[in-house]
Amino acid sequence: MNVLETEHLTKRFGGLVAVNNVSLHVEVGEILGLIGPNGAGKTTLLNAMAGLDPPTSGSVFFQGKGTTGLAPEEMCHLGLARTFQIPRPFPKMTVLENVMVAAVFGNRRHREIDPGRHSREMLEFVEFPIAEDTISETLNTVQLKRLDLARALASEPKLLFLDELASGLTESELTELMAIIRKIRDKGITIIMVEHIMQVIMKLCDRLAVLQFGNKIAEGPTEEVAQNPAVREAYLGTED
């Protein structure tokens, strides 16, 4: 069963076609890697699917329901959450308060849960390394990424978009992050991840979809796609 599916999705910015006629799907419980060179249209595609920047044409289906053009908050309440390449928490609020915002306004069960307790559980789940009363503007890169992840999980998503969550991390931090992503999948959350670090892609993703200049040039099992000559030329810079 597909959690999310696109049909002929296109996004134009004036004369620039950033995403061109892309059809893809992600199945329940899998991790789909969305890869390609810089400027390939990966984040634009996420934005179009998540409602942040609606597509110019084409269709999006989430859990079998047509959701093309729905606002991000509507998509969130349906069960789609995401992280961003550059996390932007509320800088003057504490770590806990930032997660509570998502628990209160993003979680469709907000009247049934204790926002404070739920938010603390999410911080514990992502192994947030410092005190919950830390002001968010003082956080470093790793802490910001884990906060962004905790905020996304606080809405209890069925589908999670991860946009270059691994960038800028050390080897040990990558290992820890991959373990957390596996825990997320084990909770039954389906994942689409945009990533450039092949170590992460190859170890985590069940399937890959590859974009180049806004076009999907390959989709399939990770090992198979990684060996595709067109993908190796476009993404890895070699045909060998």
Side-chain angles (χ1 to χ4, degrees):
M1 176 181 174
N2 295 336
V3 178
L4 182 140
E5 185 175 0
T6 71
E7 292 182 354
H8 309 296
L9 207 68
T10 296
K11 179 63 183 179
R12 295 185 177 90
F13 297 97
L16 172 66
V17 181
V19 174
N20 185 35
N21 198 38
V22 172
S23 298
L24 55 77
H25 70 279
V26 59
E27 299 174 5
V28 172
E30 77 171 345
I31 300 178
L32 174 68
L34 185 59
I35 70 171
N38 287 329
K42 303 180 295 296
T43 295
T44 301
L45 179 58
L46 290 190
N47 290 344
M49 294 189 293
L52 187 62
D53 202 349
T56 306
S57 61
S59 302
V60 181
F61 299 90
F62 182 52
Q63 299 186 100
K65 175 183 177 181
T67 58
T68 313
L70 288 187
E73 61 270 22
E74 295 176 286
M75 295 300 294
C76 182
H77 290 151
L78 288 173
L80 190 153
R82 67 175 298 178
T83 66
F84 291 85
Q85 288 182 20
I86 302 175
R88 293 186 177 90
F90 298 102
K92 301 298 182 182
M93 295 173 64
T94 67
V95 165
L96 179 63
E97 289 167 342
N98 265 277
V99 183
M100 286 180 66
V101 169
V104 171
F105 295 103
N107 193 314
R108 57 197 174 279
R109 294 195 313 117
H110 66 276
R111 291 186 177 90
E112 305 169 26
I113 63 174
D114 179 326
R117 180 168 60 191
H118 181 67
S119 298
R120 289 186 175 94
E121 289 172 354
M122 295 305 100
L123 287 168
E124 181 179 356
F125 184 87
V126 303
E127 301 170 19
F128 195 78
I130 60 175
E132 66 182 34
D133 60 354
T134 304
I135 300 300
S136 297
E137 66 181 358
T138 67
L139 301 181
N140 63 28
T141 298
V142 176
Q143 295 159 357
L144 284 170
K145 287 177 180 288
R146 294 207 186 193
L147 174 58
D148 208 27
L149 187 54
R151 290 199 302 176
L153 293 173
S155 67
E156 297 185 318
K158 298 181 182 298
L159 173 63
L160 178 64
F161 289 172
L162 303 178
D163 196 353
E164 296 194 33
L165 193 65
S167 64
L169 303 186
T170 66
E171 280 294 320
S172 62
E173 291 163 349
L174 282 177
T175 299
E176 293 170 357
L177 177 64
M178 287 191 287
I180 293 170
I181 292 173
R182 290 189 183 99
K183 282 199 306 179
I184 293 171
R185 198 249 293 269
D186 290 345
K187 285 172 64 71
I189 299 172
T190 304
I191 297 170
I192 297 180
M193 60 187 306
V194 170
E195 193 51 69
H196 284 290
I197 301 174
M198 292 307 294
Q199 170 190 349
V200 175
I201 289 293
M202 298 304 293
K203 289 185 177 180
L204 289 180
C205 296
D206 303 296
R207 291 190 307 116
L208 299 179
V210 188
L211 296 185
Q212 183 183 29
F213 303 122
N215 298 289
K216 188 183 76 172
I217 62 171
E219 181 179 0
T222 297
E223 292 287 348
E224 177 184 309
V225 171
Q227 297 304 316
N228 184 311
V231 173
R232 294 177 66 84
E233 181 178 6
Y235 188 65
L236 302 176
T238 178
E239 299 183 21
D240 298 329

Short mmCIF file of all heavy atoms in Angstrom, two decimals, residues 66-94:
data_model
loop_
_atom_site.label_atom_id
_atom_site.label_comp_id
_atom_site.label_asym_id
_atom_site.label_seq_id
_atom_site.Cartn_x
_atom_site.Cartn_y
_atom_site.Cartn_z
N GLY A 66 -6.63 12.63 -2.42
CA GLY A 66 -6.03 13.70 -3.18
C GLY A 66 -5.74 14.89 -2.30
O GLY A 66 -6.65 15.43 -1.65
N THR A 67 -4.48 15.30 -2.25
CA THR A 67 -4.08 16.39 -1.35
C THR A 67 -3.37 17.52 -2.10
O THR A 67 -2.75 18.38 -1.47
CB THR A 67 -3.17 15.87 -0.23
OG1 THR A 67 -2.01 15.24 -0.80
CG2 THR A 67 -3.91 14.88 0.67
N THR A 68 -3.44 17.53 -3.41
CA THR A 68 -2.74 18.54 -4.20
C THR A 68 -3.17 19.94 -3.78
O THR A 68 -4.36 20.25 -3.77
CB THR A 68 -3.05 18.36 -5.69
OG1 THR A 68 -2.89 16.98 -6.04
CG2 THR A 68 -2.13 19.21 -6.54
N GLY A 69 -2.19 20.76 -3.41
CA GLY A 69 -2.48 22.15 -3.07
C GLY A 69 -2.94 22.40 -1.65
O GLY A 69 -3.16 23.56 -1.28
N LEU A 70 -3.08 21.35 -0.84
CA LEU A 70 -3.45 21.58 0.56
C LEU A 70 -2.33 22.33 1.28
O LEU A 70 -1.15 22.16 0.97
CB LEU A 70 -3.70 20.26 1.29
CG LEU A 70 -4.98 19.49 0.95
CD1 LEU A 70 -5.14 18.30 1.88
CD2 LEU A 70 -6.22 20.38 1.01
N ALA A 71 -2.69 23.15 2.27
CA ALA A 71 -1.71 23.92 3.03
C ALA A 71 -0.88 22.99 3.91
O ALA A 71 -1.32 21.90 4.27
CB ALA A 71 -2.42 24.95 3.88
N PRO A 72 0.34 23.44 4.28
CA PRO A 72 1.20 22.60 5.12
C PRO A 72 0.54 22.16 6.43
O PRO A 72 0.73 21.01 6.86
CB PRO A 72 2.41 23.50 5.39
CG PRO A 72 2.44 24.46 4.26
CD PRO A 72 1.01 24.69 3.89
N GLU A 73 -0.23 23.05 7.07
CA GLU A 73 -0.87 22.67 8.33
C GLU A 73 -1.92 21.59 8.12
O GLU A 73 -2.12 20.72 8.98
CB GLU A 73 -1.48 23.89 9.04
CG GLU A 73 -2.55 24.62 8.27
CD GLU A 73 -2.02 25.73 7.38
OE1 GLU A 73 -0.82 25.70 7.03
OE2 GLU A 73 -2.82 26.63 7.06
N GLU A 74 -2.58 21.62 6.96
CA GLU A 74 -3.55 20.57 6.66
C GLU A 74 -2.83 19.25 6.43
O GLU A 74 -3.30 18.19 6.89
CB GLU A 74 -4.36 20.95 5.42
CG GLU A 74 -5.25 22.17 5.60
CD GLU A 74 -5.96 22.56 4.32
OE1 GLU A 74 -5.30 23.11 3.42
OE2 GLU A 74 -7.18 22.31 4.23
N MET A 75 -1.72 19.28 5.73
CA MET A 75 -0.94 18.06 5.51
C MET A 75 -0.41 17.51 6.83
O MET A 75 -0.39 16.29 7.05
CB MET A 75 0.22 18.34 4.55
CG MET A 75 -0.22 18.72 3.14
SD MET A 75 -1.17 17.44 2.31
CE MET A 75 0.05 16.13 2.14
N CYS A 76 0.00 18.41 7.70
CA CYS A 76 0.50 17.98 9.02
C CYS A 76 -0.60 17.27 9.80
O CYS A 76 -0.37 16.21 10.39
CB CYS A 76 1.01 19.20 9.79
SG CYS A 76 1.72 18.80 11.40
N HIS A 77 -1.80 17.83 9.80
CA HIS A 77 -2.89 17.21 10.55
C HIS A 77 -3.33 15.89 9.93
O HIS A 77 -3.89 15.03 10.63
CB HIS A 77 -4.08 18.18 10.64
CG HIS A 77 -3.80 19.35 11.53
ND1 HIS A 77 -4.39 20.58 11.35
CD2 HIS A 77 -3.00 19.49 12.61
CE1 HIS A 77 -3.97 21.42 12.27
NE2 HIS A 77 -3.11 20.78 13.04
N LEU A 78 -3.06 15.71 8.64
CA LEU A 78 -3.34 14.42 8.00
C LEU A 78 -2.28 13.38 8.34
O LEU A 78 -2.51 12.18 8.15
CB LEU A 78 -3.43 14.60 6.49
CG LEU A 78 -4.66 15.32 5.95
CD1 LEU A 78 -4.52 15.56 4.45
CD2 LEU A 78 -5.93 14.52 6.24
N GLY A 79 -1.09 13.85 8.79
CA GLY A 79 -0.06 12.89 9.20
C GLY A 79 1.25 12.99 8.47
O GLY A 79 2.03 12.04 8.45
N LEU A 80 1.55 14.16 7.89
CA LEU A 80 2.84 14.36 7.22
C LEU A 80 3.65 15.41 7.98
O LEU A 80 3.15 16.50 8.24
CB LEU A 80 2.64 14.79 5.77
CG LEU A 80 3.89 14.81 4.89
CD1 LEU A 80 3.50 14.61 3.43
CD2 LEU A 80 4.67 16.12 5.01
N ALA A 81 4.86 15.06 8.34
CA ALA A 81 5.75 16.00 9.03
C ALA A 81 7.10 16.02 8.34
O ALA A 81 7.40 15.13 7.53
CB ALA A 81 5.92 15.62 10.50
N ARG A 82 7.92 17.04 8.65
CA ARG A 82 9.20 17.13 7.96
C ARG A 82 10.22 17.88 8.79
O ARG A 82 9.89 18.61 9.73
CB ARG A 82 9.03 17.85 6.62
CG ARG A 82 8.65 19.31 6.76
CD ARG A 82 8.60 20.01 5.42
NE ARG A 82 9.90 20.02 4.76
CZ ARG A 82 10.10 20.55 3.55
NH1 ARG A 82 9.10 21.09 2.89
NH2 ARG A 82 11.31 20.54 3.03
N THR A 83 11.48 17.66 8.44
CA THR A 83 12.56 18.51 8.92
C THR A 83 13.04 19.34 7.73
O THR A 83 12.66 19.10 6.58
CB THR A 83 13.73 17.68 9.47
OG1 THR A 83 14.33 16.93 8.39
CG2 THR A 83 13.26 16.72 10.56
N PHE A 84 13.91 20.32 8.00
CA PHE A 84 14.38 21.23 6.97
C PHE A 84 15.91 21.21 6.90
O PHE A 84 16.58 20.90 7.88
CB PHE A 84 13.89 22.65 7.24
CG PHE A 84 12.40 22.80 7.07
CD1 PHE A 84 11.54 22.50 8.12
CD2 PHE A 84 11.86 23.24 5.87
CE1 PHE A 84 10.16 22.63 7.96
CE2 PHE A 84 10.50 23.38 5.71
CZ PHE A 84 9.64 23.07 6.75
N GLN A 85 16.43 21.58 5.72
CA GLN A 85 17.88 21.66 5.56
C GLN A 85 18.49 22.57 6.61
O GLN A 85 19.54 22.26 7.20
CB GLN A 85 18.23 22.19 4.17
CG GLN A 85 17.98 21.24 3.04
CD GLN A 85 18.40 21.83 1.70
OE1 GLN A 85 19.19 22.78 1.64
NE2 GLN A 85 17.88 21.29 0.62
N ILE A 86 17.86 23.71 6.85
CA ILE A 86 18.31 24.67 7.86
C ILE A 86 17.22 24.78 8.91
O ILE A 86 16.18 25.42 8.68
CB ILE A 86 18.60 26.05 7.25
CG1 ILE A 86 19.66 25.92 6.14
CG2 ILE A 86 19.08 27.02 8.33
CD1 ILE A 86 19.92 27.22 5.39
N PRO A 87 17.39 24.13 10.07
CA PRO A 87 16.36 24.20 11.11
C PRO A 87 16.14 25.64 11.58
O PRO A 87 17.10 26.41 11.74
CB PRO A 87 16.93 23.34 12.24
CG PRO A 87 17.94 22.46 11.57
CD PRO A 87 18.51 23.27 10.46
N ARG A 88 14.89 26.01 11.76
CA ARG A 88 14.56 27.35 12.22
C ARG A 88 13.60 27.27 13.41
O ARG A 88 12.40 27.47 13.24
CB ARG A 88 13.94 28.18 11.09
CG ARG A 88 14.91 28.48 9.96
CD ARG A 88 14.26 29.41 8.94
NE ARG A 88 15.17 29.78 7.88
CZ ARG A 88 15.32 29.12 6.74
NH1 ARG A 88 14.60 28.02 6.54
NH2 ARG A 88 16.17 29.52 5.81
N PRO A 89 14.13 26.99 14.60
CA PRO A 89 13.27 26.97 15.78
C PRO A 89 12.88 28.39 16.18
O PRO A 89 13.42 29.37 15.66
CB PRO A 89 14.17 26.33 16.84
CG PRO A 89 15.55 26.74 16.43
CD PRO A 89 15.54 26.72 14.92
N PHE A 90 11.93 28.49 17.09
CA PHE A 90 11.64 29.79 17.69
C PHE A 90 12.81 30.13 18.60
O PHE A 90 13.00 29.51 19.65
CB PHE A 90 10.33 29.74 18.47
CG PHE A 90 9.14 29.40 17.60
CD1 PHE A 90 8.60 28.11 17.61
CD2 PHE A 90 8.58 30.36 16.78
CE1 PHE A 90 7.52 27.80 16.81
CE2 PHE A 90 7.48 30.06 15.98
CZ PHE A 90 6.95 28.77 15.99
N PRO A 91 13.64 31.11 18.23
CA PRO A 91 14.96 31.26 18.86
C PRO A 91 14.91 31.64 20.33
O PRO A 91 15.81 31.27 21.09
CB PRO A 91 15.64 32.36 18.03
CG PRO A 91 14.51 33.10 17.38
CD PRO A 91 13.45 32.09 17.14
N LYS A 92 13.89 32.37 20.76
CA LYS A 92 13.84 32.84 22.14
C LYS A 92 13.12 31.86 23.06
O LYS A 92 13.05 32.09 24.27
CB LYS A 92 13.16 34.20 22.21
CG LYS A 92 13.84 35.29 21.38
CD LYS A 92 15.27 35.57 21.85
CE LYS A 92 15.90 36.69 21.04
NZ LYS A 92 17.31 36.93 21.45
N MET A 93 12.60 30.79 22.49
CA MET A 93 11.90 29.79 23.29
C MET A 93 12.86 28.67 23.68
O MET A 93 13.88 28.45 23.03
CB MET A 93 10.71 29.23 22.50
CG MET A 93 9.64 30.27 22.22
SD MET A 93 8.32 29.69 21.11
CE MET A 93 7.58 28.40 22.08
N THR A 94 12.52 27.96 24.73
CA THR A 94 13.34 26.84 25.15
C THR A 94 13.16 25.66 24.20
O THR A 94 12.23 25.62 23.38
CB THR A 94 12.99 26.38 26.57
OG1 THR A 94 11.66 25.80 26.55
CG2 THR A 94 13.05 27.53 27.56
#
